[in-house]
Amino acid sequence: MLMSFSKKTIDELGYYVYVYSDPDTHKPFYVGKGKGNRVFDHLFLNDDSKKTMYIQSLVKNGKQPIIEILVHGVDEETALKVEAAAIDLIGVENLTNKQRGHNSGIYGKIEVSLLESRYNVEEIDIENFDENVMLIRINQLYHNDITPYELYEATRGHWRVNLEKAKKIKYALAVYYGMVLEVYEIAEWFPAFSTMMCRKIDNNDKDRKCRYEFVGKIASDDIRKKYKNKSVANIFKKGDQSPIRYIFAE
């Protein structure tokens, strides 16, 4: 089995995206990007990652993974986009990759109407809000096949919030890369981990004391029409990493 490229091959390759597949089923189990001999590095690792354990299991049974180059001769940014698209197409749940590809939330798989809404969408300014609302960014939790229930769960908790401010908020807006995906009417706030929730985070005492979650329902049609599928990207300041933004109507 080939374990490294020649210098001549490396000079021609540039950046590339590669795939590791099972030799029996030919199903991919890992997607990565790199240059030089990066594609072979995984064969020599000895950690407890799912990818390494999968490869070691094959070797133990006298087999080797199928290693293929999906695309090559591209720049790093293109390789990152191709990697993200490949992971999204196969499904990260079907791979040993720990996460989706770089910027997959922006450039990865997305339903066409959502893509159109992202780039051709009406913007809302702060003065356009007539209700007290909380913008909740769920960039890290959203995925293309998210169900309405999963979207609600991703939006409602668990967050570090100013409880005094939060109790004055009537609506929570689920925001994905600047676009409002759904609007929820908040019924009540509770300490984190005190209501049934399918999404869990590290449940330690420190998090329990400073995090909260809300319960509620999808807002009425007239409220949703005002905010859903509209952009609030301009409301978040550049460099602001906080997932929460409070807006109080005057």
Side-chain angles (χ1 to χ4, degrees):
M1 179 180 179
L2 186 67
M3 294 291 187
S4 65
F5 289 126
S6 66
K7 183 179 183 305
K8 187 174 181 180
T9 299
I10 289 175
D11 291 341
E12 294 293 332
L13 277 177
Y15 279 95
Y16 54 80
V17 177
Y18 57 91
V19 181
Y20 272 59
S21 299
D22 187 287
D24 295 323
T25 65
H26 287 251
K27 290 184 177 180
F29 65 85
Y30 185 79
V31 176
K33 72 91 184 169
K35 63 186 303 187
N37 282 312
R38 169 61 180 167
V39 63
F40 301 109
D41 288 351
H42 311 291
L43 299 173
F44 307 104
L45 296 178
N46 188 26
D47 54 40
D48 60 356
S49 68
K50 290 174 61 178
K51 170 197 62 191
T52 298
M53 293 174 67
Y54 197 114
I55 294 172
Q56 290 179 345
S57 176
L58 291 175
V59 173
K60 184 178 180 180
N61 288 286
K63 302 174 183 179
Q64 295 289 344
I66 299 171
I67 305 175
E68 299 170 295
I69 301 296
L70 184 61
V71 65
H72 69 279
V74 297
D75 57 42
E76 185 175 20
E77 184 65 24
T78 301
L80 287 168
K81 292 180 180 180
V82 173
E83 177 194 37
I87 291 173
D88 275 353
L89 183 62
I90 298 169
V92 71
E93 68 278 3
N94 299 314
L95 297 167
T96 58
N97 292 68
K98 293 181 179 179
Q99 58 188 12
R100 298 172 66 196
H102 177 73
N103 274 343
S104 61
I106 301 175
Y107 300 115
K109 185 174 71 170
I110 183 172
E111 198 273 327
V112 290
S113 61
L114 187 57
L115 184 66
E116 172 66 13
S117 295
R118 179 188 296 173
Y119 292 116
N120 184 29
V121 62
E122 178 185 345
E123 287 193 349
I124 309 176
D125 294 319
I126 289 181
E127 56 267 23
N128 297 139
F129 286 88
D130 299 319
E131 294 81 21
N132 292 348
V133 305
M134 176 184 289
L135 308 182
I136 303 178
R137 293 193 285 193
I138 58 167
N139 297 348
Q140 303 303 315
L141 300 171
Y142 177 85
H143 57 86
N144 186 60
D145 302 317
I146 197 167
T147 65
Y149 177 67
E150 289 174 327
L151 180 60
Y152 169 62
E153 290 287 272
T155 306
R156 75 183 190 90
H158 313 90
W159 305 111
R160 296 176 184 272
V161 300
N162 180 317
L163 193 57
E164 184 178 347
K165 286 185 177 181
K167 287 184 175 181
K168 298 177 182 178
I169 298 296
K170 187 170 184 181
Y171 298 103
L173 279 57
V175 179
Y176 173 65
Y177 282 97
M179 189 168 67
V180 178
L181 300 183
E182 190 54 271
V183 184
Y184 302 100
E185 183 175 348
I186 299 173
E188 187 62 76
W189 285 93
F190 295 91
F193 315 108
S194 60
T195 68
M196 181 180 293
M197 177 173 282
C198 67
R199 180 174 73 87
K200 297 297 183 183
I201 62 173
D202 186 19
N203 185 2
N204 57 54
D205 290 339
K206 183 178 180 181
D207 281 324
R208 182 184 292 274
K209 291 177 181 178
C210 60
R211 291 180 181 268
Y212 296 88
E213 59 201 36
F214 72 83
V215 295
K217 63 181 181 179
I218 292 178
S220 60
D221 289 342
D222 59 323
I223 295 297
R224 295 174 78 213
K225 186 176 180 180
K226 289 171 64 174
Y227 304 121
K228 188 177 178 181
N229 293 332
K230 296 182 180 179
S231 175
V232 293
N234 60 310
I235 294 177
F236 289 94
K237 296 180 180 179
K238 187 175 181 179
D240 181 7
Q241 299 299 312
S242 174
I244 303 294
R245 176 68 192 270
Y246 305 91
I247 298 178
F248 295 97
E250 296 182 359

